[in-house]
Amino acid sequence: AAAPALAPATAPAATAHAQGPRPGMSSPLQKPWASPRLTPTAGFMQPRRSWGRTPTPSPKMGPVASPQINALVGALVGSLTSAAVAPPKPPITVELVGESSDIVVDGSRLEWRLPDNWGKLCNYSKGLCTTSPIFGVRRAANMQLWFFPNGSRTAEDCHCTVALERGPDSAGIKFEFLVNGRGIGPKVCLGRRYLGDYPIPFDGSEEHKSKSVVVSMQILEILGGE
């Protein structure tokens, strides 16, 4: 027997058109919705009156100094000015009290050549000394040197001692002693006495007994106000 003829199937696209578009899907034949135009609100993005004008620069403000800084700078400038115009200190000059052939003075330096030679001086017992003529400088009028050939009582062996004796109310001084050209550096005397130990200038041999001892003093500074 012959197979029954099958009816042709209906196309899905035609069915879709016949049934209409699915919910949530737009039809290709439907026109797109246009966004509604927004009417500009008054005051929104309105041009400012200053737009289009030439900008006016702000006035420049200079630095304002603090009153304390001004006072400090003024005091500093004043001190520098007064220091610049301050008169120089007078030179230091050693002066002898009376006349003596044992001391030679040259400005702030003196040389005391002991009248006895080393042969006689080296026989001094420890603690025994010989003294110089009196001399002075401004604000320290009466000073005298004492020389201990074999040292003071507290000195070490093979050392001599040079002492500086001063009058009351004498200004402090900075100075340096040399014994036959040998020293131990600058010293300061603020009171009435200074003692310093120095190597003996010669040994006890016969060849040195006829030699002289020279004690030099260089005054470097007079301390305190003028």
Side-chain angles (χ1 to χ4, degrees):
L6 297 177
T10 307
T15 305
H17 282 289
Q19 295 177 354
R22 290 184 178 180
M25 298 186 62
S26 59
S27 173
L29 300 179
Q30 186 179 2
K31 294 183 179 180
W33 288 89
S35 300
R37 294 185 180 181
L38 296 178
T39 304
T41 306
F44 179 76
M45 294 298 292
Q46 294 295 327
R48 296 176 57 182
R49 295 182 179 181
S50 60
W51 291 357
R53 297 172 56 187
T54 303
T56 303
S58 302
K60 295 183 178 180
M61 301 296 293
V64 179
S66 172
Q68 296 181 355
I69 295 180
N70 289 337
L72 180 61
V73 172
L76 180 60
V77 172
S79 62
L80 293 177
T81 304
S82 60
V85 299
K89 293 183 178 181
I92 300 173
T93 303
V94 178
E95 297 180 356
L96 293 176
V97 178
E99 296 182 359
S100 174
S101 59
D102 297 336
I103 287 186
V104 177
V105 173
D106 182 13
S108 61
R109 180 184 177 87
L110 68 86
E111 289 187 355
W112 174 34
R113 185 177 294 273
L114 278 68
D116 297 331
N117 58 25
W118 181 247
K120 187 175 181 179
L121 293 171
C122 69
N123 291 325
Y124 278 41
S125 60
K126 194 169 187 177
L128 187 62
C129 69
T130 180
T131 59
S132 75
I134 297 176
F135 62 93
V137 294
R138 69 178 187 276
R139 300 175 55 225
N142 297 315
M143 296 190 288
Q144 190 178 37
L145 299 180
W146 294 12
F147 181 71
F148 301 77
N150 285 303
S152 63
R153 295 179 180 178
T154 59
E156 298 180 357
D157 293 338
C158 299
H159 281 75
C160 60
T161 300
V162 181
L164 174 65
E165 293 287 334
R166 304 175 351 126
D169 301 326
S170 296
I173 60 172
K174 183 179 181 181
F175 62 93
E176 184 175 8
F177 283 147
L178 298 176
V179 178
N180 281 36
R182 301 171 66 184
I184 56 175
K187 303 297 178 181
V188 171
C189 181
L190 301 177
R192 297 191 60 178
R193 193 179 193 191
Y194 165 84
L195 285 91
D197 297 334
Y198 298 80
I200 57 174
F202 309 106
D203 56 25
S205 60
E206 289 293 330
E207 60 179 329
H208 293 148
K209 289 186 177 181
S210 60
K211 293 186 177 181
S212 299
V213 176
V214 178
V215 177
S216 302
M217 180 181 184
Q218 179 74 47
I219 301 179
L220 304 173
E221 185 181 356
I222 300 176
L223 305 177
E226 293 297 328

